[in-house]
Amino acid sequence: MSVGNRVFLKRELPDQSIIEGFKTIPAANAADCMGRLSALSSEIKLMSNPNNRIMVGVALTVKARPGDNLLLHKALNMASEGDVIIVSNEGDRTQALMGEIMISYAEHTKKIAGLVLDGPIRDINEISKMTIPVYATGTTPGGPYKEGPGEINVPIACGGIHVSPGDIILGDSDGVIVIPKNDAEQILKDAQLVSANDHKKLQAAIDGSANRDWVDETLMKKNCEIIDDIYKS
């Protein structure tokens, strides 16, 4: 087996009903159920204009050589509806990994759920109008190489977060989080409760009934000194 230059055609996938359940959950609410440790770097931002507020799909992982998209092209050939192609690029920011042509193919022919790239794109004027969710670190006119090597459907790190093939990828305007497939059922249940509670918190914030006593109580536990006086230099 050629480690570093291989493609796995199969993945373990979560139950479809769990994936569907996340389609109403904001990424922040699900992230709060995982110790707030699941969010990709804030460098990776939404670059397109999706019709759906929330992107949900299963990870088709790509480990790319920096600035090279040969294995990303192979992943596009393999992808199905409901997949999110998520790409490790070893932190490279010098070469665009995709442009209008590839992303148009992903949107119209493959109809995948989204694209998450730990690297730049190009043709932003056109991509910014597309409805497929596209997350990337920025833009550059510099194009990619097509030499390889690379891997597909192996564990990767994207935006500083571990991603395994078949994990659930959840994104919205705030950014992207990774939900481990083996924990997804419990996280969905917890996130649904958080979302319902958030609605109550929002209403209390609007109507002035929110109880803010916890702030001073927490500061007291942290031994913060509260001084009823002005600071004197």
Side-chain angles (χ1 to χ4, degrees), residues 89-217:
N89 186 41
E90 296 190 13
D92 184 78
R93 303 291 182 258
T94 61
Q95 311 298 134
L97 292 172
M98 302 183 81
E100 180 186 9
I101 294 172
M102 286 180 72
I103 295 174
S104 294
Y105 180 75
E107 178 177 20
H108 298 290
T109 299
K110 303 301 288 190
K111 297 180 172 59
I112 64 173
L115 294 154
V116 180
L117 312 175
D118 198 354
I121 58 173
R122 62 180 180 178
D123 304 326
I124 188 61
N125 286 343
E126 293 76 19
I127 294 167
S128 65
K129 303 169 190 173
M130 293 182 178
T131 58
I132 182 175
V134 179
Y135 292 84
T137 61
T139 64
T140 176
Y145 302 102
K146 294 176 174 60
E147 300 293 335
E151 297 184 295
I152 294 176
N153 280 330
V154 298
I156 65 169
C158 182
I161 299 297
H162 175 91
V163 189
S164 290
D167 283 348
I168 294 176
I169 309 300
L170 176 62
D172 55 23
S173 297
D174 283 339
V176 179
I177 67 168
V178 179
I179 300 166
K181 57 181 176 293
N182 293 335
D183 300 317
E185 184 175 6
Q186 184 60 52
I187 292 167
L188 175 59
K189 292 176 182 177
D190 294 344
Q192 288 169 336
L193 292 175
V194 169
S195 295
N197 194 41
D198 258 14
H199 180 72
K200 296 176 182 177
K201 288 181 179 180
L202 177 60
Q203 291 305 309
I206 292 171
D207 64 27
S209 65
N211 186 338
R212 304 286 298 169
D213 292 344
W214 69 269
V215 178
D216 284 342
E217 291 170 359

Side-chain angles (χ1 to χ4, degrees), residues 69-78 97 102 144 146 152:
N69 75 355
L70 178 60
L71 273 292
L72 179 50
H73 274 282
K74 175 60 177 175
L76 271 178
N77 290 352
M78 293 169 54
L97 292 172
M102 286 180 72
K146 294 176 174 60
I152 294 176

Side-chain angles (χ1 to χ4, degrees), residues 26-29 39-42 44-46 53 135 171-176:
N29 289 357
L40 273 58
S41 167
S42 59
I44 298 176
K45 298 178 174 64
L46 182 62
R53 186 172 62 92
Y135 292 84
D172 55 23
S173 297
D174 283 339
V176 179

Side-chain angles (χ1 to χ4, degrees), residues 219-228:
L219 288 172
M220 289 179 63
K221 291 178 182 177
K222 301 291 185 180
N223 298 316
C224 178
E225 186 178 6
I226 308 295
I227 302 165
D228 188 14

